[in-house]
Amino acid sequence: MGTYNNTYTYSSSQRLRSDVKSVNYITVAGGGGGARPNVGFGRSPNNGQDTRLNTTGLWSQGGRHGELNRGGYGGYGNYSYGRNGQINYSGGQYQRAASGYGGYGSGGAGQWRSPSLTGGGGGGGASRSTYYRGSSGAIAGQRVYWTIGQGGTQGGNGRRRRGDNGAIYISQTTYDRPSASISANPTSIILGNSTTLSWSTSGDVNSVNISPSVGGVSTSGSLNVSPPNTTTYYLQATNPAYTTSDSVTVTVLIPPSVNMTVDNPTIVLGESTTLRWNVTGDASSMTIDNGIGSTNLTGQQVITPTSTIVYTGTASGPGGTGSDTAVVTVLPPPTLTVSGPIVVGYEDPITFSIEATNAPGG
């Protein structure tokens, strides 16, 4: 975090920083004027004026003016009262009562006139308060206003023993921009497996969130996740002034799925049929046994097997391995044998013999 300090000795205003975290104000009122040397000599002294932070109402009281044989009372302030004025005038115009804070708002010194002793004015009081972001006086970009109390006029004649003007001290503390880092190990997984997210943050951090699905987390840590598909995880570290993000993508690989079919799964010896296949998922190669070999992930081939056969297709790649089978049944052709006598007598019965193979009745 950073700290930015300003001191003003005149009534004005200031716009607060956009990244303000808190603001500390100290108001110092004007010092009271020094007393005149005796009654009836010149003008009467004045009190110091109050200093006020108009935006919040924080204020400090001006010092009271000096009198014959008594110094003025110091002004009120919740941080520190101003000191009372002194009747010892040996220090001349430099014999001044200190304010409640800093080098402003000192009371004016008393004048010397024998035989009376004159008192100096009291120092201005100092008030202090700290306002945190979101409260009046510490809103990002807010313009705050103040009125500086003037020092009281010196009694009698002359100007060298006037009370000093007050001041306002403004100290802004700001938020640092947080840092955020997220990683995954491994960054690529097969569907159903998990990966480990690890993250860390630093700086002014009020909250940490990981999306999607995770939500609020501590400022650092790790977590196992099993995303259903390729997912980018976003880490956000936030404070009221800043948000810092980082991301990591976890690639989810789909296991290969093989689908093999045959147009006509039952053929007669000598006939042909078409074998078809298709692969989905993360595969890079496909092989089919029984003489077909390496092939494209999607394709077809006319086959003429000589006997019943099982074809097995296997797909491999980043997503792992998958396989499927297709069966082709090959039937032998039917045969028919007819036998009987070649020569028979007239009106003799004729006996035929019929024998068939691979023909189920008919």
Side-chain angles (χ1 to χ4, degrees):
M1 64 185 66
T3 302
Y4 300 85
N5 300 314
N6 297 97
T7 301
Y8 296 92
T9 57
Y10 51 90
S11 299
S12 186
S13 65
Q14 176 180 323
R15 188 176 298 279
L16 300 181
R17 293 176 59 90
S18 62
D19 54 355
V20 65
K21 184 175 185 179
S22 64
V23 187
N24 181 63
Y25 298 98
I26 298 178
T27 59
V28 181
R36 57 189 173 183
N38 51 55
V39 176
F41 181 85
R43 62 178 174 267
S44 298
N46 293 328
N47 296 330
Q49 297 177 347
D50 297 344
T51 291
R52 182 178 296 273
L53 180 62
N54 300 321
T55 304
T56 67
L58 180 69
W59 69 281
S60 53
Q61 183 186 51
R64 308 296 93 178
H65 64 75
E67 301 178 6
L68 291 176
N69 300 307
R70 184 176 65 81
Y73 294 112
Y76 162 83
N78 70 351
Y79 178 74
S80 180
Y81 286 81
R83 295 184 181 178
N84 294 335
Q86 303 179 35
I87 60 173
N88 181 356
Y89 52 83
S90 61
Q93 63 176 313
Y94 302 107
Q95 192 72 40
R96 295 173 177 271
S99 71
Y101 182 83
Y104 302 95
S106 302
Q111 286 184 312
W112 173 79
R113 284 293 187 274
S114 179
S116 301
L117 299 178
T118 63
S127 292
R128 176 177 180 175
S129 186
T130 299
Y131 300 86
Y132 295 93
R133 186 183 182 96
S135 60
S136 180
I139 298 173
Q142 179 186 26
R143 183 170 289 279
V144 293
Y145 297 85
W146 59 86
T147 303
I148 299 296
Q150 304 297 301
T153 303
Q154 166 194 335
N157 299 321
R159 297 182 179 279
R160 294 188 300 171
R161 294 171 175 83
R162 177 185 178 92
D164 289 335
N165 292 343
I168 185 168
Y169 299 82
I170 302 176
S171 179
Q172 297 186 66
T173 299
T174 59
Y175 283 98
D176 286 338
R177 186 182 295 276
S179 66
S181 176
I182 188 171
S183 62
N185 185 27
T187 56
S188 179
I189 62 172
I190 295 176
L191 180 64
N193 293 344
S194 63
T195 185
T196 301
L197 296 179
S198 299
W199 67 92
S200 63
T201 62
S202 61
D204 283 334
V205 178
N206 285 43
S207 64
V208 182
N209 184 81
I210 297 177
S211 62
S213 304
V214 178
V217 294
S218 59
T219 55
S220 63
S222 61
L223 178 69
N224 289 333
V225 294
S226 299
N229 45 46
T230 296
T231 302
T232 298
Y233 290 93
Y234 295 91
L235 171 70
Q236 286 190 330
T238 304
N239 62 38
Y242 298 106
T243 295
T244 301
S245 300
D246 192 24
S247 65
V248 64
T249 298
V250 177
T251 301
V252 177
L253 302 171
I254 306 302
S257 176
V258 181
N259 181 38
M260 297 185 66
T261 61
V262 179
D263 286 357
N264 187 358
T266 301
I267 62 174
V268 175
L269 180 63
E271 293 180 345
S272 298
T273 188
T274 300
L275 176 68
R276 304 178 189 274
W277 62 91
N278 179 59
V279 178
T280 58
D282 291 297
S284 56
S285 65
M286 171 69 171
T287 60
I288 302 176
D289 61 2
N290 291 317
I292 297 179
S294 180
T295 185
N296 295 331
L297 299 181
T298 299
Q300 62 185 50
Q301 184 166 325
V302 176
I303 55 175
T304 310
T306 59
S307 60
T308 297
I309 192 170
V310 178
Y311 289 96
T312 300
T314 303
S316 301
T321 301
S323 64
D324 192 20
T325 60
V327 178
V328 180
T329 301
V330 179
L331 301 176
T335 63
L336 180 64
T337 302
V338 180
S339 62
I342 298 176
V343 178
V344 295
Y346 180 75
E347 293 184 352
D348 288 342
I350 302 173
T351 301
F352 291 92
S353 174
I354 302 174
E355 181 177 1
T357 62
N358 302 317

